[in-house]
Amino acid sequence: MSEPAAELPISDARDSLADVVSRAHYAGRITYVTRRGQRLAAIVPAEVAEAVERAEDAADVAAAREALGRIDAGDTPISLTELRNELGL
C-alpha cells in the first residue's frame, strides 16, 4: 500500500532529497515539490513514471495508426507548414 501524497517546499526537498526518494521507492509516496505553495514538480515511484511513459507511447502509436488508416482510406495528408499554421506555431 502506498502512502498518501505529500507536498514539500523546494528548500525542504533539497535538504531531505534522499528521504523523499526512499519514500517514493519503498512506500510508493508521491511528493509534490512546491514553491510558494505552487506545485512545480513531483517525485514519484519509478513504476509510476514508467507507466505514464508506456501510456504516452501507446497513445502515440494509436494516433499514428489512426492517421495511417485515414491516409489508406483516401484522406490527403497535410504538409508540415499547414499543420504548423493550423496549430498556430
Side-chain angles (χ1 to χ4, degrees), residues 6-64:
E7 291 193 2
L8 192 63
I10 196 166
S11 57
D12 293 346
R14 185 182 312 118
D15 295 338
S16 59
L17 182 60
D19 182 54
V20 172
V21 171
S22 290
R23 292 191 84 144
H25 179 71
Y26 294 110
R29 174 187 255 178
I30 296 171
T31 300
Y32 293 98
V33 179
T34 63
R35 180 185 297 139
R36 296 185 196 99
Q38 181 179 0
R39 290 177 174 178
L40 302 177
I43 298 173
V44 301
E47 307 87 54
V48 171
E50 290 166 350
V52 169
E53 288 177 332
R54 284 191 302 274
E56 289 174 342
D57 289 347
D60 291 344
V61 167

Side-chain angles (χ1 to χ4, degrees), residues 48-81:
V48 171
E50 290 166 350
V52 169
E53 288 177 332
R54 284 191 302 274
E56 289 174 342
D57 289 347
D60 291 344
V61 167
R65 285 185 176 146
E66 180 184 339
L68 290 172
R70 287 193 313 266
I71 291 169
D72 288 345
D75 282 1
T76 304
I78 64 172
S79 70
L80 180 57
T81 301

